[in-house]
């Protein structure tokens, strides 16, 4: 007996119930449908969890209001919108006598260190001074959110800090302000750092001696420093070095001005090499060529011929010498002076000797703080010098070298090695780091140098030395036009290139002498820095034209 026939309507209904559709109404398999349902349930559970977490956070936030919101944050860019009567302090003026005062300072963040979630320590820096700052969570003014923000401030950011001066629990030996610190009440970022720093300022100011104790310490080499010079110049050591450099110029100008010297400004674009020779930079000058001045020499003398009497200049000097040494640069600052005298060039030499003693004396007394800051990184022996400058004939220097076993000719120029060795011999015998050699051989001096009338082969010229290295070269100049022409020809100088200079002496000029000092070399040697690039703001040498 056959099975009863199925109702057609029931059959169609059964088939429809076995079909499965996705959220867009498209048919899918039963397996895919089950997976879709599971995903929906999972999403619903996730959404419920997120809603619960958000509700809990909202509840916490409602009971944990940031009561410090107006005490920290990023300030809008300064476009000189407003001006207030806020007094901004220098941190170098802060000490324990001011405990209890509330001050406002604008400083760099050198370092920051969190302690748990409720405290953060800072080292703030301002020029050569540093001070410790501390912020601690409390119930009224300093919130956890504020401390968290402080922890995130990048090193080298500029911040505006309001804080109370307090006495630290113990002396803060890592800062220049040791007996006081700032309890931070407000802190706002003025300018933040948005790139990775090439090195940390802590690494860049580490004492050289520390590498002997721990060879694993990060050392910032000189090329890295110079490639990132703006960052490097922020160190307290460099601030002190360039304050010293500024001081040398100030004292040079101070000494000479008080003695009736006039400051002059001579051209640096000239039509001929001022010292003769090929060590000169040639530049295009419209339809002809010009040169960068190797010194203000010729113009200083022309000013003497113009009856200025006593002149000086502080200006750049350019030397196209391919010398990659610790003491040579292609551009440096020259401190030059020239002076008419009455009877003997030693009148000028004595002024120069007194000038250097004045510089050395005042650097040691007026800039003792800067010297101590530099010593912390670059240790060096205190500079020794005599009240009355030691002056030796060049021949005596040669004699000292020979007696010490050095083979050197009577009229030979001093090599760098022999300069240093002679400086060592002078220090041992006379206990001075500064001395003068007088009466150099004529053959190794420029064409305008006056020969010594009593000692053939020698000249009325001199060099000054600090720590065994030359810092000043000078001489009596030839002031007779005919003799000057004769000496220029002997040095194979094309007279046509210096005709205006020679012509200045045809109308009469007094006897005169002078000298030129290398600023960066003085700073390098006085501070024992070991490389002239450390005492040059943005050094130029045969391999460096940037930054």
């Amino acid at each position: 007996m056959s099975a009863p026939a199925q109702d057609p309507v029931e059959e169609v209904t059964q088939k429809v119930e076995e079909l499965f559709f996705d959220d867009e109404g498209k048919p899918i398999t039963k397996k895919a449908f089950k997976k879709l349902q599971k995903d929906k349930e999972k999403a619903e559970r996730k959404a419920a969890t997120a809603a619960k977490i958000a509700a809990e956070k909202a509840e916490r936030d409602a009971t944990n209001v940031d009561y410090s919101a107006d005490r920290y944050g990023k300030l809008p860019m300064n476009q000189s919108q407003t001006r207030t009567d806020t007094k901004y302090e220098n941190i170098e003026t802060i000490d324990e006598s001011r405990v209890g005062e509330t001050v406002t300072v604008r400083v760099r963040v050198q370092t920051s260190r969190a302690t748990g979630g409720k405290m953060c320590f800072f080292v703030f820096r301002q020029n050569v001074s540093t001070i410790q700052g501390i912020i601690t969570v409390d119930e009224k003014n300093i919130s956890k959110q504020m401390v968290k923000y402080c922890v995130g401030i990048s090193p080298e950011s500029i911040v505006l800090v309001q804080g109370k001066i307090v006495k630290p629990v113990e002396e803060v030996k890592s800062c220049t302000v040791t007996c006081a610190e700032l309890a931070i009440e407000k802190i706002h970022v003025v300018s933040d750092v948005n790139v990775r720093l090439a090195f940390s300022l802590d690494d860049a100011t580490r004492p050289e001696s520390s590498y002997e104790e721990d060879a694993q310490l990060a050392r910032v080499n000189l090329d890295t420093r110079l490639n990132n010079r703006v960052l490097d110049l922020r160190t307290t050591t460099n601030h002190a070095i360039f304050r010293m450099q500024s001081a040398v110029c100030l004292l040079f100008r101070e000494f000479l001005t008080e003695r009736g010297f006039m400051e002059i400004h001579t051209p640096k674009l000239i039509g001929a090499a001022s010292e003769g020779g090929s060590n000169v930079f040639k530049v295009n000058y419209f339809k002809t060529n010009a040169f960068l001045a190797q010194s203000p020499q010729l113009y200083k003398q022309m000013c003497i011929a113009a009856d200025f009497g006593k002149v000086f200049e502080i200006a750049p000097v350019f030397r196209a010498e391919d010398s990659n040494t610790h003491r040579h640069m292609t551009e440096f600052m020259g401190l030059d002076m020239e002076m008419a005298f009455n009877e003997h060039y030693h009148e000028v030499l004595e002024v120069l000797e007194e000038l250097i003693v004045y510089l050395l004396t005042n650097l040691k007394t007026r800039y003792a703080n800067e010297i101590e800051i530099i010593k912390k990184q670059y240790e060096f022996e205190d500079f020794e010098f005599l009240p009355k400058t030691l002056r030796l004939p060049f021949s005596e220097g040669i004699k000292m070298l020979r007696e010490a076993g050095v083979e050197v000719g009577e009229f030979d120029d001093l090599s760098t090695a022999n300069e240093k060795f002679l400086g060592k011999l002078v220090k041992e015998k006379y206990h001075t780091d500064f001395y003068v050699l007088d009466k150099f051989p004529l053959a190794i001096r420029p064409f305008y140098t006056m020969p010594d009338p009593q000692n053939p082969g020698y000249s009325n010229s001199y060099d000054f030395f600090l720590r065994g290295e030359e810092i000043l070269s000078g001489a009596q100049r030839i002031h007779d036009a005919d003799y000057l022409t004769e000496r220029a020809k002997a040095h194979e100088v094309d007279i046509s290139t210096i005709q205006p200079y020679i012509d200045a002496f045809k109308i009469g000029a007094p006897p005169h002498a002078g000298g030129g000092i290398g600023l960066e070399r003085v700073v390098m040697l006085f501070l024992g820095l070991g490389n002239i690039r450390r005492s040059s703001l943005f050094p130029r040498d045969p391999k460096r034209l940037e930054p």
Side-chain angles (χ1 to χ4, degrees):
M1 186 175 179
S2 60
Q6 188 173 3
D7 183 356
V9 175
E10 183 181 345
E11 183 178 357
V12 171
T13 302
Q14 189 176 20
K15 287 181 177 180
V16 170
E17 288 176 349
E18 291 176 355
L19 293 175
F20 300 95
F21 301 90
D22 63 13
D23 291 341
E24 296 179 357
K26 296 178 181 177
I28 58 175
T29 65
K30 183 177 182 179
K31 183 178 180 180
F33 181 76
K34 287 183 176 180
K35 183 176 185 303
L36 182 62
Q37 293 303 108
K38 285 183 179 179
D39 289 344
K40 283 184 177 180
E41 291 171 3
K42 184 177 180 181
E44 288 172 359
R45 289 195 300 270
K46 186 175 180 181
T49 302
K52 182 180 179 183
I53 292 172
E56 291 173 351
K57 183 178 184 299
E59 186 178 350
R60 285 198 307 272
D61 289 346
T63 59
N64 189 25
V65 176
D66 184 2
Y67 44 85
S68 302
D70 62 341
R71 292 177 171 267
Y72 68 96
K74 175 75 182 290
L75 292 176
M77 182 173 64
N78 186 321
Q79 296 180 288
S80 299
Q81 297 96 322
T82 59
R83 188 174 184 183
T84 69
D85 58 359
T86 302
K87 181 183 178 183
Y88 296 90
E89 299 279 351
N90 291 321
I91 60 177
E92 65 183 358
T93 66
I94 296 174
D95 56 33
E96 60 185 332
S97 70
R98 300 184 63 185
V99 166
E101 289 184 38
T102 297
V103 295
T104 299
V105 294
R106 191 175 73 183
V107 290
R108 289 261 183 198
V109 174
Q110 179 150 319
T111 60
S112 62
R113 174 174 56 87
T115 302
K118 296 186 176 183
M119 183 180 293
C120 184
F121 290 90
F122 288 95
V123 171
F124 294 131
R125 189 183 72 251
Q126 193 182 72
N127 301 323
V128 298
S129 303
T130 54
I131 190 170
Q132 181 167 275
I134 181 171
I135 186 166
T136 308
V137 172
D138 63 27
E139 295 180 356
K140 292 183 178 181
N141 299 312
I142 310 299
S143 65
K144 286 184 178 180
Q145 294 94 322
M146 183 173 178
V147 173
K148 183 179 180 181
Y149 179 82
C150 288
V151 172
I153 298 175
S154 302
E156 290 309 296
S157 294
I158 300 174
V159 293
L160 190 63
V161 176
Q162 178 183 301
K164 181 176 286 187
I165 301 172
V166 298
K167 188 172 178 60
V169 177
E170 56 185 36
E171 187 176 325
V172 187
K173 295 181 179 179
S174 59
C175 295
T176 60
V177 179
T178 60
C179 54
E181 64 184 11
L182 287 179
I184 299 167
E185 297 174 348
K186 295 180 181 180
I187 183 166
H188 291 88
V189 173
V190 177
S191 180
D192 53 7
V193 174
N194 51 27
V195 295
R196 182 178 178 181
L197 297 176
F199 48 81
S200 77
L201 272 285
D202 273 1
D203 288 341
T205 53
R206 185 170 286 119
E208 289 292 301
S209 59
S210 63
Y211 299 109
E212 298 173 7
E213 301 166 6
D214 185 354
Q216 301 300 314
L217 290 171
R219 180 193 285 269
V220 184
N221 65 43
L222 187 55
D223 274 343
T224 300
R225 290 177 182 275
L226 297 180
N227 291 338
N228 300 274
R229 192 56 162 160
V230 173
L231 179 61
D232 182 47
L233 288 173
R234 290 180 184 174
T235 67
T236 53
T237 305
N238 275 326
H239 272 254
I241 287 171
F242 289 101
R243 283 191 180 189
M244 295 291 286
Q245 188 195 83
S246 175
V248 172
C249 293
L250 170 70
L251 296 169
F252 179 80
R253 184 177 276 117
E254 190 174 272
F255 178 90
L256 294 176
T257 302
E258 287 177 357
R259 284 155 183 79
F261 281 74
M262 179 194 302
E263 184 167 7
I264 58 173
H265 306 284
T266 63
K268 302 306 162 213
L269 277 173
I270 58 177
S274 49
E275 299 282 345
S278 60
N279 296 329
V280 60
F281 289 108
K282 182 187 290 187
V283 297
N284 292 329
Y285 194 73
F286 302 104
K287 294 182 179 181
T288 184
N289 292 318
F291 302 91
L292 296 181
Q294 294 163 290
S295 82
Q297 184 58 50
L298 309 189
Y299 292 95
K300 288 192 302 177
Q301 291 185 249
M302 291 162 79
C303 286
I304 297 300
D307 290 342
F308 281 20
K310 302 175 181 180
V311 297
F312 74 91
E313 180 173 32
I314 301 175
V317 173
F318 303 92
R319 299 284 170 87
E321 299 174 357
D322 192 8
S323 298
N324 296 282
T325 73
H326 75 286
R327 67 178 191 172
H328 287 94
M329 293 194 297
T330 52
E331 179 184 354
F332 61 91
M333 292 301 296
L335 309 182
D336 279 86
M337 67 85 82
E338 203 76 17
M339 171 183 164
F341 62 83
N342 294 314
E343 296 180 351
H344 199 287
Y345 77 96
H346 280 180
E347 296 170 35
V348 181
L349 183 54
E350 287 163 5
V351 172
L352 285 168
E353 290 170 345
E354 291 170 7
L355 165 64
I356 299 300
V357 170
Y358 182 84
L359 286 175
L360 297 173
T361 301
N362 283 277
L363 287 176
K364 293 186 79 169
T365 56
R366 288 158 63 173
Y367 297 88
N369 182 51
E370 284 77 8
I371 290 171
E372 288 308 309
I373 289 170
I374 296 163
K375 269 187 175 182
K376 288 178 182 178
Q377 182 165 2
Y378 302 111
E379 297 175 19
F380 60 90
E381 293 182 3
D382 287 339
F383 197 96
E384 287 189 70
F385 60 98
L386 304 173
K388 176 69 175 174
T389 301
L390 173 67
R391 187 192 305 166
L392 300 172
F394 181 86
S395 57
E396 177 64 22
I398 294 296
K399 180 182 176 183
M400 290 176 68
L401 287 170
R402 287 175 171 175
E403 289 175 350
V406 177
E407 293 185 8
V408 58
E410 186 177 356
F411 296 100
D412 288 351
D413 200 358
L414 292 177
S415 66
T416 300
N418 284 344
E419 265 188 20
K420 290 183 176 181
F421 188 50
L422 181 56
K424 181 181 177 183
L425 296 175
V426 169
K427 179 69 178 289
E428 290 173 353
K429 184 174 181 179
Y430 297 102
H431 307 289
T432 181
D433 289 307
F434 165 52
Y435 73 99
V436 174
L437 282 184
D438 190 20
K439 301 291 185 183
F440 270 71
L442 181 62
I444 62 174
R445 306 302 273 199
F447 72 91
Y448 47 74
T449 303
M450 183 68 78
D452 182 346
Q454 298 172 336
N455 297 288
Y458 290 94
S459 64
N460 294 346
S461 64
Y462 40 83
D463 278 4
F464 287 21
F465 299 85
L466 298 186
R467 298 192 196 270
E469 297 191 50
E470 178 249 315
I471 56 119
L472 177 150
S473 188
Q476 178 182 354
R477 326 300 187 177
I478 297 172
H479 58 283
D480 179 86
D482 292 338
Y483 194 28
L484 188 59
T485 302
E486 178 186 327
R487 292 298 302 157
K489 289 179 178 178
H491 279 255
E492 300 181 344
V493 175
D494 183 353
I495 299 301
S496 66
T497 64
I498 58 168
Q499 197 61 57
Y501 168 64
I502 299 237
D503 290 346
F505 298 101
K506 289 181 178 179
I507 55 175
H512 58 280
I517 301 169
L519 170 63
E520 292 87 350
R521 199 175 285 189
V522 170
V523 176
M524 172 190 74
L525 294 169
F526 180 78
L527 297 173
L529 297 178
N531 194 307
I532 198 166
R533 291 155 189 81
R534 291 194 176 103
S535 58
S536 174
L537 200 62
F538 295 99
R540 294 290 178 260
D541 61 33
K543 296 180 179 178
R544 181 172 291 279
L545 264 176
E546 294 181 345

